[in-house]
Amino acid sequence: SYVLTQPPSVSVAPGQTARITCGGNNIGSTSVHWYQQKPGQAPVLVVYDDSDRPSGIPERFSGSNSGNTATLTISRVEAGDEADYSCQVWDSSSDHWVFGGGTKLTVL
Amino acid sequence: QVQLVQSGAEVKKPGASVKVSCKASGYILTNYYIYWVRQAPGQGLEWMGIINPSGGNTTYAQKFQGRVTMTSDTSTSTVYMELSSLRSEDAAVYFCARGPDVYYYGMDVWGQGTTVTVSS
């Protein structure tokens, strides 16, 4: 089955840029979605189809996808961005949706 | 506003079944797919399956084949997920979420989650 690999944690100071990666075999050939989840809450879609933002999501959130790595970039990080971030792709070989294990973003 | 409201927490014994509901409001149920995703304590998100409320077609994750059933009632704009033969590893928060397409656009609205506890 298709495996998505995310770093367990990323730490960044306020105002800096956070980059969260999602690794998968030839992930660049498929669409990647990213979700933010705060403790005790449901996930929120922050980037879809590699790099598009739903309405209401700040422009500070952006995404890219190429080769074997997709990246969620959060610019000018704020304390309120502290959360778990998970990537998601459709695995066409198994007809299954797959989630990465999640990355905990800590704002120092 | 667009909402998915799920049923309340459940406590079940091993071997029992649980049925979680997900009521849609603020949009036409049949215009979107409904996904079910679960999250065990301290763990990541796990996709369980998808239902097209327009017609009732379903696709289940292989892991849950034979144990999960997803249905929809368009008259009440409600989707259901039933998981049978519960075991301790099924203790989790279960979420429904909608998406306009199977492959693209992601899951843009989520329910609040339903906690299922499995304990003897």
Side-chain angles (χ1 to χ4, degrees):
Chain A
S1 61
Y2 195 78
V3 176
L4 294 175
T5 302
Q6 297 185 236
S9 62
V10 168
S11 299
V12 64
Q16 299 304 302
T17 298
R19 294 180 178 84
I20 298 171
T21 58
C22 176
N25 185 36
N26 200 28
I27 195 174
S29 66
T30 189
S31 285
V32 179
H33 313 310
W34 289 92
Y35 299 89
Q36 175 195 70
Q37 187 178 23
K38 297 181 179 179
Q41 298 185 18
V44 173
L45 180 67
V46 293
V47 167
Y48 66 93
D49 294 351
D50 297 339
S51 59
D52 290 328
R53 273 186 318 277
S55 60
I57 300 300
E59 291 183 8
R60 301 185 297 104
F61 288 81
S62 63
S64 63
N65 185 19
S66 179
N68 293 319
T69 304
T71 303
L72 173 69
T73 301
I74 309 171
S75 304
R76 302 181 299 284
V77 167
E78 303 173 355
D81 298 331
E82 191 164 280
D84 290 328
Y85 293 84
S86 298
C87 55
Q88 178 198 28
V89 302
W90 172 258
D91 175 23
S92 58
S93 65
S94 63
D95 279 352
H96 278 37
W97 280 106
V98 179
F99 286 96
T103 297
K104 179 174 178 56
L105 175 66
T106 299
V107 181
L108 300 170
Chain B
Q1 73 278 28
V2 175
Q3 271 188 305
L4 294 173
V5 178
Q6 299 183 222
S7 48
E10 302 266 11
V11 179
K12 296 292 182 181
K13 294 187 184 304
S17 298
V18 67
K19 192 170 186 178
V20 179
S21 68
C22 172
K23 183 173 176 59
S25 62
Y27 76 99
I28 299 172
L29 177 69
T30 52
N31 286 352
Y32 288 79
Y33 296 86
I34 293 290
Y35 302 81
W36 288 91
V37 175
R38 78 177 187 180
Q39 187 171 36
Q43 302 299 308
L45 301 169
E46 180 176 31
W47 176 73
M48 299 181 67
I50 182 174
I51 181 169
N52 182 352
S54 177
N57 290 341
T58 56
T59 299
Y60 302 138
Q62 187 171 11
K63 175 177 179 176
F64 301 101
Q65 289 273 3
R67 284 210 301 145
V68 70
T69 304
M70 297 176 188
T71 57
S72 62
D73 181 348
T74 55
S75 68
T76 60
S77 295
T78 303
V79 176
Y80 300 91
M81 186 284 299
E82 184 171 21
L83 187 63
S84 62
S85 302
L86 290 170
R87 30 204 189 236
S88 58
E89 311 90 85
D90 294 317
V93 178
Y94 289 75
F95 295 100
C96 62
R98 76 165 198 178
D101 186 88
V102 176
Y103 309 111
Y104 302 108
Y105 303 107
M107 303 173 188
D108 66 346
V109 176
W110 290 65
Q112 82 275 21
T114 296
T115 299
V116 174
T117 301
V118 183
S119 174
S120 54

